[in-house]
Amino acid sequence: MSETEKIIVVIPAYNEEANLPSVLKRAAEALPGADLLVINDGSRDRTSRVARSHGARVVDLPFNLGIGAAVETGYKYAYHHGYDLVVRVDGDGQHTPEEIPALLEPIRAGELDFAVGSRFLGKGDAIGSTTLPRRMGIRIFSRFVTSLVGKPFTDPTSGFRAFNRRTLHAFMAEYPVEFPEVETIFYLHRKGLRIGEVSVSMSPRPSGKSSINFWSAVYYMYKVTFALLILTIRSYRNTVSTKGGDR
Amino acid sequence: MTAHQRIVAFVLGVGLFLFIVELVRRRKLQEEYSLLWLITGATIAVLAVWHEIVVEITRLIGAALPMSTLFFFGLLFLIVINLHYSVKISGLSRRVKDLTQELALLRQRLEPEADE
């Protein structure tokens, strides 16, 4: 443990026994001294046992809550256990753990409160890591978020993120359960936090298949667009949250 | 409205009223939700007897037939109550999610290998 700050890597996992060992091993190598926390989102396979045997702490949700609520569970854990820095890495192996230090860099340097790992900033095989419809959706939300925030966001749907305790506070006050990625960027901006992107490489999902089908994609577009519009008319003048610190 | 129709409507309204009371007595329905339905039952019964109110409201809102007035308000009532339930369900799902998370986090703390 060379750092004085407490770091936690939050890894949501739903039926990821195949991908978890590699993710956990590489995360531990990339960030020695950090605690690894797997949120087992009601998996029916051996996700929980596999995670434990690879040195991770595990929070087992009794049934599937969805990735948003699973991630939020990890953030609640980080908040209650006093972590200074939080990294979110998906358990499906898409996010490359080797990139964690790069993602944490601007946070540690005090330049940003919240960093999003983008695969479209010139590093790695961006096209190979995503499908065409998904890319179109990303482009739409990229324009949308960029114009709302006034700062370029090339990969707003990326779930590869790192942030500090200030951001954690903001998440305790409010965290969207469904498809939180895009929404949280604008939410944190409205809360007055410093947000930005960091170039990272990602890999295609190594095992299993994504759960997104046509209708859920349509619903995704609607939900995120509507949530962003609502955020523009919500009042955040009182940035000091009363809900976050009641424990 | 014929006397026949009025009797049917009146019996229906009173029947609904009594059914709600019975549901509360058997603890199948909380008092909070019973109020609205008791008022509904009572309203149906009162309107069946006191038909002039419906005619007067029909004139006020400019509807052609008293029947349209009844359907209009009936539908409006159902929409509003459904919206009310959507709001309630949103609140309940948030609570279920929070409780589930809390339960999982507490269980993690109780594990023997947990270090804090």
Side-chain angles (χ1 to χ4, degrees):
Chain A
M1 284 272 277
S2 56
E3 347 296 333
T4 47
E5 72 239 291
K6 273 179 86 181
I7 309 176
I8 189 166
V9 181
V10 173
I11 306 159
Y14 176 58
N15 294 339
E16 296 290 359
E17 60 176 15
N19 297 317
L20 265 184
S22 149
V23 172
L24 290 172
K25 243 178 269 170
R26 289 156 64 201
E29 275 165 31
L31 210 62
D35 292 324
L36 306 177
L37 178 73
V38 169
I39 309 297
N40 169 28
D41 193 10
S43 301
R44 272 167 296 173
D45 66 359
R46 291 161 52 251
T47 292
S48 180
R49 224 180 315 157
V50 166
R52 280 166 219 268
S53 67
H54 285 82
R57 298 179 190 189
V58 178
V59 171
D60 291 299
L61 291 168
F63 46 83
N64 187 266
L65 281 185
I67 186 155
V71 168
E72 188 192 24
T73 310
Y75 294 170
K76 285 180 174 175
Y77 181 98
Y79 180 76
H80 295 315
H81 290 77
Y83 285 92
D84 304 298
L85 298 172
V86 182
V87 182
R88 175 192 153 187
V89 178
D90 280 355
D92 63 5
Q94 204 186 54
H95 303 150
T96 24
E98 289 75 20
E99 300 278 13
I100 295 174
L103 194 59
L104 270 171
E105 226 278 307
I107 314 286
R108 280 176 159 153
E111 291 158 11
L112 292 178
D113 296 309
F114 180 79
V116 181
S118 166
R119 72 204 107 170
F120 301 119
L121 288 174
K123 218 166 147 187
D125 176 20
I127 304 300
S129 67
T130 178
T131 57
L132 180 69
R134 177 106 204 257
R135 256 197 330 278
M136 280 161 54
I138 291 171
R139 191 162 304 168
I140 292 167
F141 286 123
S142 166
R143 295 229 176 112
F144 200 178
V145 171
T146 301
S147 68
L148 284 173
V149 175
K151 198 176 172 183
F153 275 89
T154 58
D155 200 358
T157 66
S158 157
F160 197 16
R161 280 123 195 260
F163 53 89
N164 60 15
R165 201 161 168 85
R166 261 186 90 193
T167 304
L168 198 53
H169 269 280
F171 282 160
M172 287 305 103
E174 201 175 313
Y175 193 79
V177 187
E178 274 186 316
F179 318 128
E181 289 78 17
V182 180
E183 208 181 322
T184 46
I185 296 175
F186 186 42
Y187 165 67
L188 293 173
H189 172 73
R190 295 256 7 232
K191 289 282 259 187
L193 294 163
R194 296 162 303 160
I195 54 179
E197 275 190 338
V198 170
S199 174
V200 297
S201 61
M202 288 192 198
S203 15
R205 260 183 82 90
S207 169
K209 64 176 196 220
S210 170
S211 50
I212 297 167
N213 65 36
F214 177 75
W215 287 112
S216 58
V218 170
Y219 177 67
Y220 182 103
M221 298 297 288
Y222 155 75
K223 196 270 165 178
V224 174
T225 307
F226 187 64
L228 288 173
L229 292 173
I230 289 288
L231 270 171
T232 62
I233 57 170
R234 227 175 237 163
S235 165
Y236 283 111
R237 256 166 293 159
N238 183 15
T239 41
V240 183
S241 149
T242 47
K243 261 171 94 187
D246 57 358
R247 280 254 228 154
Chain B
M1 231 180 176
T2 64
H4 190 165
Q5 287 171 330
R6 287 175 158 204
I7 291 166
V8 171
F10 182 75
V11 169
L12 220 98
V14 172
L16 181 65
F17 193 96
L18 293 178
F19 183 54
I20 302 302
V21 173
E22 176 61 10
L23 283 177
V24 175
R25 190 187 69 84
R26 281 193 278 159
R27 298 187 182 84
K28 299 241 172 181
L29 185 68
Q30 286 182 27
E31 285 78 356
E32 181 195 351
Y33 296 98
S34 66
L35 180 66
L36 189 73
W37 295 113
L38 285 177
I39 292 172
T40 308
T43 307
I44 293 172
V46 168
L47 288 182
V49 177
W50 199 0
H51 185 240
E52 290 71 28
I53 300 180
V54 182
V55 177
E56 184 60 23
I57 295 170
T58 306
R59 203 182 55 79
L60 273 175
I61 64 167
L65 294 169
M67 210 34 97
S68 331
T69 311
L70 289 177
F71 274 107
F72 174 72
F73 282 106
L75 198 63
L76 193 70
F77 171 75
L78 289 178
I79 290 172
V80 170
I81 197 158
N82 271 305
L83 192 63
H84 169 77
Y85 286 147
S86 289
V87 172
K88 283 271 175 192
I89 291 170
S90 294
L92 288 173
S93 346
R94 209 202 64 241
R95 286 182 182 185
V96 169
K97 181 212 70 180
D98 285 345
L99 283 174
T100 310
Q101 291 175 328
E102 204 70 18
L103 169 82
L105 290 169
L106 283 174
R107 203 191 265 166
Q108 199 276 340
R109 274 193 187 212
L110 291 175
E111 278 174 16
E113 63 264 60
D115 48 5
E116 271 156 324

